[in-house]
Amino acid sequence: MTDSYYELIPDIHGADARGEKFRATDLARGTWSSSIQHGAPVSALLTRALERCEQRDDTRLSRVVVDLLGAVPVEGDLWVRSTVERGGKQIELVTAEMLALGPDGGPRPVARASGWRLQQVDTAAVAHAPMPLPRPVSEARNRDLKALEWDRNYVHSLEWLWLTVPLTPGPGESWIRPIADLVAGETMTPLERLFAVADCANGIGSKLDITRFTFVNTDLAVHVFRVPEGEWIGIRAETSYGPDGIGTTIGTLFDEHSAVGVIQQSVLVRPRPPKPNPDPKPNPLGEKKS
């Protein structure tokens, strides 16, 4: 069986007002904390809900904004529900919400998404994507993040190849493809696949030493002007940092043919507290040091 980020739990008692029920797998675990989900699987699952909400063959999502309302727990049940907020022939606004069990044992929102869904017409004659394509996948190198000594988590669900050296000047560039399903037994749609990796832009664009700082994005806003083709998603991103602990990641998303969209993320930057000095070795002469 192919690995997945989530398992769908069948509703045997009829329609659940809280939405479809899921359980996360180890591959949804984040790299900052093993008890919290990475933002990418969460974003992809919400995108799945947006795409399936009163689905129409003549429309597609053009923009998705995901807000992470807090730590999304790995353990316990999750529910995802969606609705059409604003219907229309050419323009629709759809929303989705993820619920998890809170401290009181009841479900509470942990992430939300909104998406503009637009009617499609043929504009192939004027298609245009001026952003230069990154160098091909064949020229990228594997930093082998899966070999690091940490428990099974989101990183283990990816083939992640780098074209640039992290922390060097200029935008970071990577090619990434998920090697796990979003939901067990389902084939990912092209947009689910895109959102399964888009959240990595913050890390690709970072200029901060991970041993000295944490940099957690609270959201992502993605505009998609062309549905990606193939398995590989390219990301070119760079993060700017203000003097007050707040940053912004701006990036471009690609398939192997051209750019397909753009992404922005808000980033919370915090210095890591200094590690305490080890206890000094006892003085063998019993003398106090001045």
Side-chain angles (χ1 to χ4, degrees), residues 56-94:
R56 289 170 46 187
D57 293 337
D58 64 333
T59 65
R60 73 162 177 86
L61 291 168
S62 71
R63 187 229 63 185
V64 174
V65 174
V66 176
D67 288 304
L68 303 171
L69 305 179
V72 180
V74 175
E75 306 298 336
D77 294 334
L78 303 165
W79 294 267
V80 177
R81 58 193 180 191
S82 59
T83 188
V84 176
E85 293 284 346
R86 186 264 196 204
K89 181 179 179 180
Q90 297 190 85
I91 302 172
E92 295 181 325
L93 180 66
V94 287

Side-chain angles (χ1 to χ4, degrees), residues 73-126:
V74 175
E75 306 298 336
D77 294 334
L78 303 165
W79 294 267
V80 177
R81 58 193 180 191
S82 59
T83 188
V84 176
E85 293 284 346
R86 186 264 196 204
K89 181 179 179 180
Q90 297 190 85
I91 302 172
E92 295 181 325
L93 180 66
V94 287
T95 60
E97 183 175 57
M98 178 180 286
L99 308 172
L101 296 178
D104 62 355
R108 60 170 181 170
V110 290
R112 292 193 179 109
S114 66
W116 285 111
R117 200 162 61 183
L118 308 184
Q119 187 181 42
Q120 302 173 84
V121 299
D122 185 2
T123 55
V126 296

Side-chain angles (χ1 to χ4, degrees), residues 86-263:
R86 186 264 196 204
K89 181 179 179 180
Q90 297 190 85
I91 302 172
E92 295 181 325
L93 180 66
V94 287
T95 60
E97 183 175 57
M98 178 180 286
L99 308 172
L101 296 178
D104 62 355
R108 60 170 181 170
V110 290
R112 292 193 179 109
S114 66
W116 285 111
R117 200 162 61 183
L118 308 184
Q119 187 181 42
Q120 302 173 84
V121 299
D122 185 2
T123 55
V126 296
H128 178 59
M131 304 79 138
L133 192 66
R135 300 195 314 277
V137 173
S138 59
E139 296 185 22
R141 67 184 185 91
N142 190 346
R143 292 177 58 206
D144 202 14
L145 297 178
K146 290 182 282 190
L148 298 177
E149 293 184 1
W150 50 24
D151 293 334
R152 181 174 162 88
N153 62 26
Y154 172 71
V155 167
H156 296 84
S157 73
L158 306 173
E159 266 191 85
W160 189 335
L161 308 179
W162 284 77
L163 290 167
T164 54
V165 177
L167 307 185
T168 56
E173 292 185 351
S174 287
W175 288 102
I176 313 179
R177 65 174 175 181
I179 54 177
D181 291 336
L182 175 59
V183 177
E186 296 182 5
T187 299
M188 276 196 275
T189 69
L191 288 185
E192 289 171 1
R193 180 176 293 278
L194 178 71
F195 278 87
V197 300
D199 189 77
C200 297
N202 173 26
I204 292 170
S206 174
K207 295 295 183 285
L208 297 178
D209 182 346
I210 197 171
T211 66
R212 298 179 55 205
F213 294 91
T214 60
F215 37 94
V216 180
N217 59 288
T218 59
D219 65 1
L220 65 156
V222 178
H223 290 258
V224 182
F225 54 83
R226 181 171 66 79
V227 175
E229 301 174 10
E231 294 186 337
W232 289 99
I233 298 297
I235 301 178
R236 177 185 295 133
E238 188 160 21
T239 304
S240 300
Y241 305 103
D244 54 358
I246 298 171
T248 303
T249 297
I250 299 177
T252 306
L253 306 172
F254 302 85
D255 63 12
E256 293 188 83
H257 303 291
S258 72
V260 299
V262 294
I263 182 172

